Amino acid sequence: MKLYDGGKAPNPRRVRIFLAEKGIGVPLVPVDMGALEHKGDTVTSRNPLQRLPILELDDGTILTESVAICRYFEELHPKPPLMGEGALGRALVEMWQRRMELNLMFPVAQAFRHIHPAMKEWEVPQIAEWGEANKPKALAFLELLDGELASREFVAGDDYSIADITGLIAIDFMKPARIPLPEQLANVRRWYAAVKARPSAEA
Ligand SMILES: N[C@@H](CCC(=O)N[C@@H](CS)C(=O)NCC(=O)O)C(=O)O
């Protein structure tokens, strides 16, 4: 199998971090997104949405959507569990994973894509006002998350999970999106420092 990778872009990074936590090595095919290589034939023939990452299995099956790719590896290599254990554990991780994606990753991405000049060819039409409108949404959710993290170590409970990985990539993405992480969010900062310090964060 091979993983078509997008370097610094958050979704490809999410899968690399997940694999690193599991100790799984998958050959990477680098795609230079800065040079818009993801718009070329190699990616388009595998994912008409022209998005990364893409996992190609040995029989030619294509999997896209980073969480679906993670799910595939979770089923094949259940330890350490990163998508919860048992009915309730799995549901809680899914709940928080979706919350992190829809309420944090999404608005941060919208701010970056609709405001940053480098995204002009990626986000058409680019609407700066929509980008700006998303910044307070991300910050409001972080405040909610700060309250949640007052009473537990990780986003979905006592164990590190894919919800933490989505949170990490989203907060790192706030830098190019030019959304400063507020000083007063002490619990978010404590949690972020811990997940950022894990070796997988370098993946
Ligand atoms: N929902 C998809 C999103 C994939 C996605 O948007 N990837 C970005 C990189 S982080 C991309 O390929 N963007 C290319 C573009 O917008 O043209 C996933 O979770 O994998």
Side-chain angles (χ1 to χ4, degrees):
M1 67 173 75
K2 46 193 172 184
L3 185 63
Y4 290 82
D5 180 46
K8 283 185 189 160
N11 284 298
R13 182 169 172 238
R14 169 156 61 166
V15 171
R16 291 198 312 273
I17 294 173
F18 191 93
L19 292 172
E21 287 283 339
K22 294 252 179 211
I24 302 170
V26 176
L28 298 183
V29 180
V31 178
D32 184 348
M33 299 188 84
L36 297 182
E37 269 180 27
H38 59 289
K39 306 271 187 201
D41 287 348
T42 305
V43 167
T44 308
S45 61
R46 288 167 175 82
N47 181 5
L49 291 174
Q50 300 181 319
R51 301 273 173 140
L52 293 169
I54 300 168
L55 181 70
E56 183 171 340
L57 304 185
D58 292 339
D59 69 358
T61 304
I62 296 293
L63 267 181
T64 68
E65 294 302 324
S66 38
V67 178
I69 295 171
C70 291
R71 166 62 63 197
Y72 178 67
F73 287 111
E74 179 85 355
E75 299 295 326
L76 288 180
H77 305 272
K79 296 287 174 194
L82 295 175
M83 297 178 116
E85 281 187 300
L88 183 59
R90 279 196 279 269
L92 283 168
V93 169
E94 173 118 12
M95 176 180 105
W96 278 104
Q97 148 61 23
R98 285 181 67 76
R99 284 181 158 182
M100 298 300 275
E101 194 160 277
L102 296 172
N103 299 288
L104 186 58
M105 184 61 205
F106 180 75
V108 171
Q110 293 299 297
F112 177 69
R113 296 176 66 103
H114 282 276
I115 297 169
H116 203 289
M119 289 290 103
K120 228 169 78 186
E121 289 169 65
W122 293 45
E123 197 58 62
V124 183
Q126 195 182 43
I127 303 169
E129 206 181 346
W130 171 242
E132 291 297 342
N134 272 277
K135 290 183 179 181
K137 291 178 200 284
L139 291 171
F141 180 75
L142 281 173
E143 212 164 305
L144 180 153
L145 184 64
D146 197 66
E148 296 284 334
L149 287 170
S151 57
R152 59 178 186 269
E153 193 174 349
F154 294 109
V155 168
D158 294 334
D159 299 311
Y160 179 91
S161 75
I162 189 170
D164 297 291
I165 300 177
T166 299
L168 168 65
I169 57 149
I171 291 195
D172 283 343
F173 204 32
M174 285 168 64
K175 197 171 174 190
R178 297 183 189 137
I179 308 173
L181 184 60
E183 280 302 326
Q184 74 272 17
L185 300 181
N187 300 311
V188 167
R189 285 183 169 274
R190 181 265 306 154
W191 159 83
Y192 173 69
V195 294
K196 185 85 175 165
R198 296 169 80 96
S200 62
E202 299 300 318

